[in-house]
Amino acid sequence: MKNLSIKIKLLILVSVPLILILILSVINIVETLNVKENIKITKNRILEAEVLATAIHFVQIERGLSVGFVVSNGKNNSDKLLSIRQKVDSALEDIKKVYASTHGDTSVLNSLSDLSEKRASVDSLSINAPDTNAYFTKNIKTFLDVALIIPPLIDDKDGRNIIQAYTHLATSKEALGQIRANLNGAFSKNSFVEDTFFKFGGSLGAYNVNLGKFDVLASDKVKRFYRDTYKGESVDKITAMMDIARSKGMSGGFGVEPSVWFNEATTSIDLLRDIELELYKDVLKLADLKIEKTNNDIAVLLLSLVIVLLLFFISVIIIFKNITDSIKNIQ
């Protein structure tokens, strides 16, 4: 060290803070890149949940139309089945495309491998209404179960809470779909048969509990949209009709027109679907904003690093020159 020239000693001295600046800058950039990667993974999980939500919605509609077709011996819904089946098929294809881009597990689609066969059974009326309902309900539950395991896979707190809120909304919507089918039969017969009243009670409990949990977990914006949307004549009517069914129970004598119940329940389910769409619009926008923010943070860090290094080198050159000039004058 003693044999080193003054220039080399000065160079070593100024290199220490430079190395520290570089190390701290690299650490910050790496951390920001990790945050960005986590947000991108979060967005992938959100996209998966979104296509599952779309598929669930259309399968729910196909379930209702298929059961109605079988119950009426092919007289009802034949004109609507083709259209909704195309939407279901399109939603299933979207699942394949999204999961291919996110490297997700498409095994969820295995449960619908015999969908064409079941549809043929519906068309030929070789399957009864309860079995038709059970088949579609089983597959909807499979899709919901997959959606339920998505939130724990999300590191971003905001995104995780919103998707968790969706799972409760979707569960509530599915419960209302089951109530729609259950009460359609009860109101048609003007009484509950076998254990359908207890199934109605379980579905009603799931509907109310999950709506409450959704209201707790949803973002403020989505909450406002929910409260502004899920109200009005249809919601008031189905609430009143469900109260009638609950209060009269096994005694029957509801005095409710089945078609009125079914139409109002369908309208209410469509309102819940509108809330789902708004929820995904909100959470995807939030993810994009966070990705944009991390991009900006990275750009600012890189620019700041370049500016600091330039200033540092300019300062070092000036100081180095002044010191060497002074030494020469002394010599």
Side-chain angles (χ1 to χ4, degrees):
M1 195 70 178
K2 291 180 180 180
N3 297 327
L4 295 176
S5 66
I6 292 175
K7 289 183 179 181
I8 298 299
K9 289 179 180 179
L10 289 172
L11 188 59
I12 293 173
L13 184 64
V14 299
S15 296
V16 174
L18 176 61
I19 293 171
L20 288 174
I21 291 172
L22 286 172
I23 291 174
L24 291 174
S25 299
V26 169
I27 290 173
N28 283 333
I29 291 171
V30 169
E31 287 179 349
T32 307
L33 285 171
N34 287 336
V35 170
K36 179 182 176 180
E37 185 61 26
N38 284 334
I39 295 173
K40 288 176 70 175
I41 292 172
T42 293
K43 185 176 180 180
N44 285 341
R45 301 289 85 78
I46 292 168
L47 290 171
E48 290 170 2
E50 182 185 29
V51 290
L52 285 172
T54 300
I56 289 169
H57 179 69
F58 288 131
V59 172
Q60 286 171 329
I61 296 175
E62 182 174 355
R63 174 182 60 188
L65 293 176
S66 298
V67 170
F69 180 83
V70 172
V71 167
S72 65
N73 289 320
K75 295 178 181 178
N76 298 334
N77 303 333
S78 58
D79 56 330
K80 300 175 183 177
L81 271 174
L82 177 60
S83 174
I84 195 60
R85 285 172 177 175
Q86 290 173 344
K87 290 180 179 179
V88 169
D89 292 342
S90 178
L92 298 180
E93 285 300 316
D94 287 342
I95 290 177
K96 293 178 183 178
K97 292 176 184 176
V98 168
Y99 272 58
S101 65
T102 61
H103 305 290
D105 182 7
T106 57
S107 60
V108 64
L109 298 175
N110 293 342
S111 63
L112 285 169
S113 59
D114 58 346
L115 179 59
S116 297
E117 178 185 337
K118 292 297 180 182
R119 285 172 172 174
S121 298
V122 170
D123 292 340
S124 63
L125 300 177
S126 58
I127 185 173
N128 59 36
D131 288 345
T132 302
N133 181 71
Y135 171 76
F136 285 105
T137 298
K138 178 193 70 174
N139 285 289
I140 291 168
K141 182 181 182 300
T142 299
F143 278 39
L144 282 172
D145 287 344
V146 173
L148 285 171
I149 66 173
I150 289 177
L153 303 176
I154 297 176
D155 290 330
D156 179 66
K157 180 182 177 182
D158 295 327
R160 182 172 62 249
N161 285 345
I162 293 175
I163 298 304
Q164 186 70 58
Y166 157 70
T167 62
H168 291 297
L169 180 64
T171 303
S172 185
K173 186 158 76 76
E174 170 59 9
L176 183 55
Q178 293 180 18
I179 292 171
R180 177 179 59 181
N182 189 317
L183 292 188
N184 193 52
F187 292 152
S188 296
K189 297 179 181 297
N190 213 22
S191 65
F192 286 105
V193 295
E194 298 180 354
D195 61 345
T196 54
F197 174 66
F198 302 103
K199 289 181 178 179
F200 161 65
S203 297
L204 182 60
Y207 166 76
N208 288 323
V209 168
N210 283 283
L211 271 186
K213 290 181 178 179
F214 163 77
D215 194 38
V216 170
L217 290 171
S219 66
D220 291 338
K221 182 181 176 182
V222 174
K223 281 182 186 178
R224 288 193 296 271
F225 186 83
Y226 161 65
R227 291 167 185 170
D228 291 340
T229 301
Y230 199 58
K231 63 180 183 179
E233 184 178 359
S234 293
V235 177
D236 291 341
K237 283 184 176 180
I238 67 163
T239 301
M241 287 185 276
M242 287 190 292
D243 285 342
I244 290 172
R246 180 176 54 81
S247 62
K248 294 197 174 183
M250 297 299 292
S251 62
F254 308 115
V256 175
E257 179 60 38
S259 61
V260 173
W261 157 254
F262 191 88
N263 291 335
E264 299 298 345
T266 300
T267 300
S268 298
I269 290 172
D270 289 341
L271 292 177
L272 292 177
R273 175 58 180 167
D274 290 341
I275 297 165
E276 276 184 359
L277 295 174
E278 181 65 19
L279 180 148
Y280 279 106
K281 178 182 173 182
D282 183 57
V283 70
L284 286 171
K285 182 179 179 181
L286 177 64
D288 287 336
L289 287 174
K290 288 191 174 185
I291 291 174
E292 183 181 352
K293 182 180 181 300
T294 56
N295 287 334
N296 292 336
D297 290 343
I298 292 169
V300 169
L301 284 171
L302 290 173
L303 181 60
S304 299
L305 179 60
V306 170
I307 292 173
V308 168
L309 290 176
L310 284 174
L311 292 174
F312 185 84
F313 280 121
I314 292 171
S315 300
V316 167
I317 291 170
I318 293 172
I319 294 171
F320 195 81
K321 186 177 183 303
N322 288 337
I323 292 174
T324 53
D325 289 345
S326 298
I327 291 172
K328 286 179 181 178
N329 290 334
I330 293 171
Q331 290 174 341

